[in-house]
Amino acid sequence: MSEKIAILADSGSDVPAELLKQYDNIEVAPMLVTMAGEEYRDNVDITPEEFYARLGQADQFPKTAAPTQGSVEAHVASLKERGFNRIIGITVSAHLSTTFGIFTNVARENTDIKMDVINTRNIGIGSGLFAVYAEEMIDSGQTFDETIKFLKQSVEDSRTFFYIPSLKYLRAGGRIGRVAGLIGSVLNIKPVIATDSEGIYFPVAKARSEQKAISKMVQLVSDIIASHKSVRVGVANGADVPLQEKVYDRLHSAFPQLRIYRGSVSPALGVHTGPGLVGVGVQVGEGE
């Protein structure tokens, strides 16, 4: 039986919009956002623009939840009906969401289809770039097993970096991780936060101004790009397109031949980071 491979990601992975438009073998299971007592499917019932516009007026911090097992099962059923017999699951870090566990349960229970799930240990665009890499390998004729092997090998060196002007949303959402030490530190500190090799947030740099924080983030990203032959890069923003474009322009100027994806941070992630975020994902290819 020939392989027909699909990709199923969670919405917290921020798969680039152009990839979703270009390929019909990619589906996204939405996380859930609760705001002002109403529950929304991430990027389905509420867009990033709508979310950030309402966030500043919210009386209480919104809350999030992983996709329900039922919704993930519905996506798997849809893919099976469309003739796919292999599914690559892609989720944000298992340390930041229960999504990986839910995807894994669904994969275990669907014995009539081969499904393997990648815990990217990243988040947002950094996790979404794994879908880009997976699609590249599918297009090049790699088998399902080979694609899974290379994806898992690439987790160790792939990273997500982001700058946020305030830590209050991370703290309120309980996603503070190893960034907690910055709370109550010197006023006006501007941190650059990253996911470590286990997929846990930690402060990778601290600066006295936004400009210096952005410069440090761009340098960290540039160092990874320059030291690897196979990389995928994306820049995402949470209601600050001009700052995103500054980061994009600097990276594009340094690496003009590199395709750099751009997009918005999903509402489910914006709950925990607030407005003003700019993040950069760097996904490193196999054997590097």
Side-chain angles (χ1 to χ4, degrees):
M1 180 175 62
S2 63
E3 294 186 328
K4 191 175 181 185
I5 306 172
I7 298 169
L8 177 59
D10 62 14
S11 65
S13 292
D14 285 341
V15 177
E18 55 261 56
L19 198 74
L20 296 175
K21 291 178 182 178
Q22 183 178 355
Y23 293 95
D24 67 356
N25 67 322
I26 308 175
E27 292 198 10
V28 178
M31 292 183 167
L32 300 173
V33 177
T34 301
M35 198 173 196
E38 296 289 331
E39 187 175 81
Y40 303 91
R41 290 171 297 168
D42 188 32
N43 271 327
V44 176
D45 303 321
I46 188 167
T47 66
E49 292 75 18
E50 292 168 339
F51 169 76
Y52 286 108
R54 295 178 56 186
L55 183 60
Q57 304 169 1
D59 295 329
Q60 296 180 324
F61 285 105
K63 296 181 180 179
T64 62
T68 65
Q69 182 155 330
S71 73
V72 177
E73 289 172 343
H75 280 285
V76 170
S78 171
L79 290 168
K80 287 193 289 188
E81 287 174 7
R82 291 165 54 203
F84 292 100
N85 52 33
R86 302 286 187 273
I87 299 177
I88 300 168
I90 292 175
T91 76
V92 299
S93 170
H95 280 290
L96 302 175
S97 171
T98 59
T99 308
F100 174 73
I102 292 170
F103 271 50
T104 301
N105 286 340
V106 172
R108 186 182 303 117
E109 293 174 4
N110 280 267
T111 57
D112 58 339
I113 192 169
K114 192 170 183 179
M115 179 176 177
D116 206 332
V117 187
I118 308 298
N119 169 17
T120 69
R121 300 184 199 168
N122 278 268
I123 196 163
I125 187 65
S127 183
L129 291 171
F130 278 78
V132 176
Y133 185 35
E135 196 62 65
E136 287 177 4
M137 286 188 284
I138 294 170
D139 286 352
S140 69
Q142 298 281 7
T143 67
F144 177 79
D145 289 341
E146 289 169 338
T147 301
I148 291 294
K149 181 183 72 172
F150 288 137
L151 285 168
K152 289 183 176 180
Q153 286 177 349
S154 72
V155 169
E156 186 73 20
D157 294 323
S158 300
R159 290 287 181 274
T160 306
F161 301 91
F162 59 95
Y163 159 76
I164 49 175
S166 171
L167 295 173
K168 72 175 184 178
Y169 292 92
L170 274 181
R171 178 171 54 184
R175 299 300 198 278
I176 200 69
R178 287 161 51 200
V179 183
L182 295 180
I183 301 294
S185 63
V186 181
L187 292 177
N188 297 321
I189 198 78
K190 302 294 183 182
V192 177
I193 298 168
T195 49
D196 66 13
S197 60
E198 295 301 313
I200 300 171
Y201 291 147
F202 77 107
V204 69
K206 292 180 283 186
R208 297 289 185 180
S209 68
E210 178 177 278
Q211 182 176 346
K212 289 181 178 179
I214 292 299
S215 292
K216 288 190 175 185
M217 182 170 69
V218 169
Q219 186 59 57
L220 288 165
V221 172
S222 297
D223 289 345
I224 295 177
I225 296 172
S227 59
H228 296 90
K229 294 178 181 178
S230 173
V231 294
R232 280 133 295 274
V233 178
V235 184
N237 82 95
D240 198 334
V241 173
L243 188 57
Q244 171 191 272
E245 291 306 289
K246 288 181 181 178
V247 174
Y248 172 87
D249 288 344
R250 291 182 63 172
L251 289 171
H252 179 66
S253 177
F255 305 96
Q257 304 304 318
L258 181 65
R259 179 175 185 178
I260 302 174
Y261 293 90
R262 285 177 280 188
S264 297
V265 174
S266 69
L269 302 187
V271 167
H272 302 293
T273 56
L277 175 147
V278 172
V280 184
V282 187
Q283 200 280 333
V284 176
E286 76 281 0
E288 298 189 86

